[in-house]
Amino acid sequence: MGNSQPQRKKLVIIGGSFAGLLILDKVKEDFDITLIEKKDHFEWICSLPHSMVDLDYFENEATVDLKQCISVDRVFGPNVEYLQGMVTEIADDHSLKYKPTEGLDSDQGLQDIEEETCQFDLLIICTGSVYKINEKSAKDAATIFSIKERTRLIKKYHDRIDSAKEILVVGGGSTGVESLGEIINKYGDEKEYNMITNQDRLLHGFPEGLSRRASDYFTGKRTFKDLHLNQYFSPENNQSEDHNFSLMCAGMDYYTPFMNFNFKDCVDQRGRIFVNQYFQVTNQDPTQQEIGHPKTYDNIFCYGDACLSCMQEVKNVPAIRETSYTVKKNLLAIAYGGKLTKMSYAVDQVAAVYYSKWRGFLVLNDLAIPNCATLLAKKSIEKTFMSKFKNKCCGKFRFCIYNFQVNFSSCYLNTCCCCCPCSKRRRYKERRAALRALIAQHNSEEEKNPLFKDGQEERMIELKSK
Ligand SMILES: Cc1cc2nc3c(=O)[nH]c(=O)nc-3n(C[C@H](O)[C@H](O)[C@H](O)COP(=O)(O)OP(=O)(O)OC[C@H]3O[C@@H](n4cnc5c(N)ncnc54)[C@H](O)[C@@H]3O)c2cc1C
């Protein structure tokens, strides 16, 4: 596309984190782009467990000044404008309202700020999720706008961890496990440790060997007191009084009040935004059977943590990277004509989880490979992103390599080689069978709906662009 386009369309991206910046980099030449992000910075949230025990690291390594990156260093080229503001309402399919947040630390004073309007030809919602540590509500966590305020908050948790004699980590997912690993790594036997999870094992959702090794590592520590499985934590019950500091690592929320006015039927109860197979926003819950004719907004897309898709992909950075290619193709198809590309029915679960500095796993679907370099591998990917965003030398090159598209189909969709160890696993077989059933169901729905028969999609788009 690029220069051959007579007039570039206006694309607005809401959210300047992983999903927003990855897609921005992919389409920066093809549109006039406005990125609306409520914060003045990008944070490498994956290293939050480390940031909470190392403030210097948080301030110097884990954050990027977005104004410097986009408007001064022009890391994404000349066609991109950065607007610091919180989107408050998507008014219709060509305009939205936002409140400028530059200079604000938190929502104090936000109510006095006048709303402004922004027009778009295409919109992509990348508003992700909200991660509460010990903040009371999703809104509290979602209305931190400045790096100053975020640093104050991280420092608060850092100081509480530092002064506590006994620590309870609430949540046995990857963030809980990595946080406990980081705290033990820093304080060793100086403190006593406990962990509570409402699941029957740590790292639920990952292969069992990983859970076992992490549990054995923690429970083998001299000052590790209790691992509570299948239990809910309630701050009111006595358990919390026994501990000096309870660190909540209990998962994420969604905060999408900007959908509540005109797009209320496009979100589920948790605030996740429904998308169809092209990542276009729709009022059809993709996890439910289609009834009647769903309304789809051709020019409004959503991907990343914020969206709920029929693929129900794992929400992490590799999955965002993988899906961003489809989103790019479809943005271009809608803007300039072309064939829409369907999302795959599955992306592989690629993850890296560590529980101590030199112990961790690389995970591919149901295969977990123990190794001593997990943390190093994670740091290397972080460095790749951060050196690009901070306009450091080699940044562009490393980022290009990371983003190089490899067209492997998911392990779940291709017939796996019989010697592949993951094909032997029960969970793999179950998930594969479930996916095949889902594909069969979608295929039969498409058969019934002449609009979506193969070959028709291209014509539909051509007609629309005419
Ligand atoms: C503690 C933690 C550790 C993690 N560790 C890993 C890991 O090790 N590896 C991995 O692959 N994944 C990890 N993840 C998951 C990964 O970080 C997410 O999948 C990823 O951040 C999602 O990116 P996103 O851009 O979709 O959303 P987000 O990162 O949530 O970003 C959304 C952006 O939109 C902005 N925004 C929201 N609402 C508005 C609005 N109304 N107006 C303007 N801007 C708005 C937000 O300020 C934010 O910048 C971790 C997540 C957490 C919370």
Side-chain angles (χ1 to χ4, degrees):
M1 297 271 158
N3 296 338
S4 63
Q5 289 304 322
Q7 203 188 355
R8 278 195 299 261
K9 300 251 165 115
K10 165 97 183 257
L11 168 70
V12 170
I13 302 176
I14 317 177
S17 182
F18 294 93
L21 295 178
L22 272 173
I23 196 69
L24 171 60
D25 192 58
K26 288 197 167 58
V27 298
K28 57 184 187 272
E29 316 262 295
D30 304 300
F31 295 95
D32 281 331
I33 304 175
T34 301
L35 176 82
I36 309 183
E37 164 58 57
K38 60 185 157 76
K39 296 182 304 191
D40 59 5
H41 62 284
F42 163 79
E43 175 182 346
W44 187 268
I45 188 81
C46 311
S47 59
L48 182 67
H50 184 68
S51 293
M52 282 191 292
V53 293
D54 185 349
L55 267 183
D56 284 347
Y57 180 85
F58 174 74
E59 288 180 272
N60 300 322
E61 308 286 336
T63 54
V64 174
D65 181 332
L66 278 176
K67 196 172 185 177
Q68 177 74 32
C69 166
I70 295 170
S71 310
V72 180
D73 292 343
R74 291 258 160 233
V75 166
F76 299 98
N79 306 334
V80 186
E81 177 196 21
Y82 161 61
L83 248 173
Q84 199 195 326
M86 177 145 185
V87 172
T88 47
E89 178 183 339
I90 301 181
D92 54 44
D93 56 4
H94 280 95
S95 69
L96 59 78
K97 294 181 185 162
Y98 70 95
K99 288 188 173 194
T101 49
E102 197 175 343
L104 287 186
D105 285 331
S106 64
D107 70 341
Q108 267 191 351
L110 188 67
Q111 66 278 13
D112 303 328
I113 290 178
E114 291 278 306
E115 277 179 332
E116 295 184 18
T117 302
C118 178
Q119 310 284 338
F120 56 83
D121 296 315
L122 287 98
L123 175 70
I124 173 151
I125 305 170
C126 305
T127 49
S129 53
V130 176
Y131 195 76
K132 287 190 306 208
I133 314 176
N134 289 28
E135 295 87 85
K136 286 203 179 74
S137 68
K139 182 170 179 264
D140 288 343
T143 48
I144 293 170
F145 302 131
S146 69
I147 177 93
K148 194 173 114 207
E149 184 61 13
R150 181 70 178 157
T151 310
R152 195 189 63 75
L153 192 79
I154 301 283
K155 182 170 179 341
K156 186 174 107 184
Y157 295 124
H158 169 272
D159 293 350
R160 298 272 331 250
I161 293 169
D162 199 50
S163 59
K165 288 205 167 58
E166 194 170 337
I167 286 175
L168 168 69
V169 173
V170 182
S174 51
T175 306
V177 164
E178 290 185 357
S179 298
L180 184 58
E182 286 283 357
I183 297 170
I184 291 179
N185 183 48
K186 178 163 178 190
Y187 296 100
D189 292 348
E190 278 174 42
K191 298 182 194 294
E192 292 188 330
Y193 308 102
N194 300 270
M195 189 170 227
I196 183 167
T197 169
N198 61 3
Q199 303 290 347
D200 57 0
R201 62 182 174 95
L202 295 186
L203 297 166
H204 194 264
F206 287 102
E208 281 177 25
L210 217 175
S211 312
R212 227 178 8 255
R213 289 220 192 185
S215 304
D216 290 350
Y217 174 76
F218 290 141
T219 50
K221 290 275 153 198
R222 204 169 60 79
T223 54
F224 189 90
K225 277 171 74 184
D226 285 312
L227 174 61
H228 307 274
L229 300 176
N230 292 316
Q231 286 185 46
Y232 278 89
F233 171 77
S234 152
E236 290 84 40
N237 73 17
N238 289 336
Q239 226 161 19
S240 65
E241 286 169 20
D242 295 336
H243 303 95
N244 261 304
F245 182 51
S246 309
L247 179 67
M248 300 294 295
C249 299
M252 55 206 197
D253 282 308
Y254 299 88
Y255 190 69
T256 46
F258 53 86
M259 298 292 284
N260 291 351
F261 301 90
N262 308 307
F263 293 81
K264 206 163 59 199
D265 54 349
C266 300
V267 286
D268 73 352
Q269 282 183 337
R270 296 178 66 193
R272 290 176 297 181
I273 299 172
F274 301 149
V275 293
N276 66 8
Q277 287 190 307
Y278 309 107
F279 290 101
Q280 290 165 311
V281 173
T282 168
N283 63 2
Q284 165 69 44
D285 181 342
T287 61
Q288 304 295 321
Q289 190 117 23
E290 200 171 299
I291 312 162
H293 294 289
K295 172 147 183 54
T296 299
Y297 298 87
D298 283 350
N299 63 331
I300 305 185
F301 289 77
C302 175
Y303 93 116
D305 278 17
C307 79
L308 180 64
S309 80
C310 69
M311 183 183 0
Q312 296 188 45
E313 69 278 15
V314 186
K315 296 298 184 186
N316 67 12
V317 180
I320 293 176
R321 175 193 166 282
E322 201 64 31
T323 48
S324 62
Y325 298 103
T326 311
V327 177
K328 172 190 171 175
K329 282 186 197 154
N330 291 341
L331 281 170
L332 293 176
I334 289 290
Y336 305 115
K339 188 174 173 359
L340 285 179
T341 306
K342 273 187 202 164
M343 65 174 68
S344 162
Y345 282 95
V347 289
D348 288 313
Q349 179 180 12
V350 180
V353 185
Y354 64 93
Y355 49 92
S356 88
K357 197 169 176 184
W358 299 110
R359 289 187 181 87
F361 283 81
L362 296 174
V363 180
L364 174 65
N365 297 322
D366 297 313
L367 190 66
I369 305 158
N371 68 87
C372 59
T374 304
L375 186 55
L376 290 180
K378 288 183 85 147
K379 291 271 167 259
S380 161
I381 293 178
E382 174 176 348
K383 203 151 187 220
T384 298
F385 275 74
M386 298 313 247
S387 53
K388 155 99 176 167
F389 298 163
K390 290 186 176 176
N391 208 20
K392 295 221 171 113
C393 68
C394 301
K396 264 189 201 163
F397 177 65
R398 289 179 66 154
F399 196 74
C400 255
I401 292 183
Y402 176 79
N403 264 309
F404 189 71
Q405 185 177 8
V406 187
N407 276 324
F408 286 132
S409 174
S410 164
C411 260
Y412 287 116
L413 300 178
N414 272 345
T415 313
C416 214
C417 168
C418 58
C419 54
C420 169
C422 87
S423 68
K424 308 268 186 306
R425 315 239 158 176
R426 182 176 50 84
R427 275 176 7 120
Y428 173 86
K429 287 180 185 159
E430 283 168 7
R431 173 129 167 84
R432 193 173 152 94
L435 266 169
R436 295 210 154 165
L438 180 79
I439 293 169
Q441 184 201 324
H442 274 264
N443 285 346
S444 75
E445 273 167 21
E446 283 172 17
E447 282 282 304
K448 281 182 233 149
N449 187 348
L451 275 181
F452 288 101
K453 274 200 177 154
D454 269 355
Q456 298 260 346
E457 292 153 26
E458 195 164 5
R459 265 199 49 233
M460 278 170 57
I461 303 305
E462 276 170 20
L463 288 174
K464 273 179 206 156
S465 56
K466 272 177 200 160

